[in-house]
Amino acid sequence: MGEILAVLSGKGGTGKTSICAAVAEALADSGETVLCIDCDVGLRNLDLALALEHGGAISFQDVCSGGYSLSQALQHPDFPTLRFLTAPAGCSASQVDTAAFGSMLQQARQYFRYILLDAPAGVEQGFRLAAFRADRIVLVTVSDPAAIRDAAETASILEGMGKSQIRLVVNRVGKRLYQKMNITIDDVMDAASLSLLGIVPEDANVTLAAAAHKPLLRHSRRGASAACRRIAARIQGKSVPITLA
């Protein structure tokens, strides 16, 4: 039976979608069957992070309405065990049939080991659509005080929804910046009151890969790419050190 992971952030601009895409790629590259779903109705861009913007992906709404089957989800050309459903255009998150969405996810559990839901930033309808049915939450933040506060408040909301499997990913970590700010990763964990799933360094290759229309894991093997591979390994239950190296 497959597992559903919602990739969330309380604040926009944390790099959540890039993390979701790279972790999905890493899971697929290790041999897992993966379904990646863009839940950001209205502002979809997971296809860009996956380098699938020209792939002609169907939306999750197409599957929910019965017009298409999960087997028709777009197959990634570089990661054959990775499939993708984009967010629907021309509607709002409040117009999504949540019962049909839940039924689709239950069906997806039969075919995929991991289902990753990329939710919109904030805590509105799209956030709840993804979080409500997730078995585990990956909460992405950066190190500025506003983002950390938003992560802590988002975690409180998730706990109020009955979610207990919440892990933190700190993105865009720079050693020099942390030294200047006189903070550590432990300080960020303490402020957010969450256990750490991984840290991802500031890496220009994330932007360069998107500009080259290439998946991050095929553009680079170091930096953010390597960090997301380590996060994927921890999701699989492997013991991997948390490090920036």
Side-chain angles (χ1 to χ4, degrees):
M1 184 67 72
E3 188 175 16
I4 300 171
L5 290 84
V7 184
L8 311 173
S9 67
K11 179 180 172 59
T14 62
K16 165 189 58 61
T17 296
S18 297
I19 296 294
C20 181
V23 170
E25 293 164 7
L27 287 168
D29 212 29
S30 72
E32 303 285 8
T33 53
V34 182
L35 176 63
C36 218
I37 304 178
D38 192 338
C39 295
D40 195 349
V41 180
L43 292 174
R44 52 186 181 171
N45 57 18
L46 182 56
D47 59 331
L48 295 173
L50 288 166
L52 290 174
E53 62 267 37
H54 302 303
I58 62 174
S59 77
F60 70 75
Q61 191 84 314
D62 293 328
V63 178
C64 289
S65 65
Y68 292 83
S69 70
L70 278 172
S71 65
Q72 293 172 283
L74 181 63
Q75 184 179 35
H76 202 294
D78 291 287
F79 307 96
T81 61
L82 173 59
R83 300 259 181 171
F84 171 63
L85 293 173
T86 190
C91 73
S92 66
S94 62
Q95 293 175 295
V96 173
D97 185 333
T98 55
F101 185 75
S103 296
M104 179 196 68
L105 292 180
Q106 284 301 109
Q107 184 183 9
R109 288 182 188 271
Q110 301 175 39
Y111 301 106
F112 299 95
R113 178 64 185 90
Y114 295 103
I115 300 111
L116 274 66
L117 308 179
D118 180 40
V123 293
E124 303 304 324
Q125 187 67 27
F127 165 92
R128 294 178 182 276
L129 181 72
F132 182 71
R133 292 166 179 83
D135 303 304
R136 285 196 269 176
I137 305 292
V138 178
L139 188 57
V140 181
T141 188
V142 290
S143 304
D144 70 81
I148 296 169
R149 175 184 288 179
D150 284 349
E153 292 177 353
T154 301
S156 294
I157 292 169
L158 290 165
E159 289 165 358
M161 296 171 64
K163 302 298 175 181
S164 58
Q165 297 295 315
I166 309 169
R167 300 287 296 278
L168 187 70
V169 170
V170 185
N171 194 21
R172 296 174 181 160
V173 175
K175 291 182 179 179
R176 290 184 179 179
L177 177 62
Y178 271 52
Q179 290 171 352
K180 290 181 178 179
M181 294 172 64
N182 195 30
I183 63 170
T184 66
I185 291 294
D186 287 342
D187 294 330
V188 177
M189 290 169 58
D190 291 343
S193 300
L194 291 170
S195 298
L196 192 63
L197 179 62
I199 53 178
V200 181
E202 182 72 53
D203 187 356
N205 282 305
V206 176
T207 301
L208 293 173
H213 307 289
K214 290 181 64 177
L216 176 62
L217 267 67
R218 293 292 181 259
H219 180 81
S220 171
R221 297 183 62 86
R222 305 175 67 179
S225 175
C228 287
R229 285 188 185 276
R230 291 192 291 269
I231 290 170
R234 291 185 203 102
I235 287 171
Q236 293 172 295
K238 299 175 183 177
S239 180
V240 180
I242 293 178
T243 173
L244 273 177

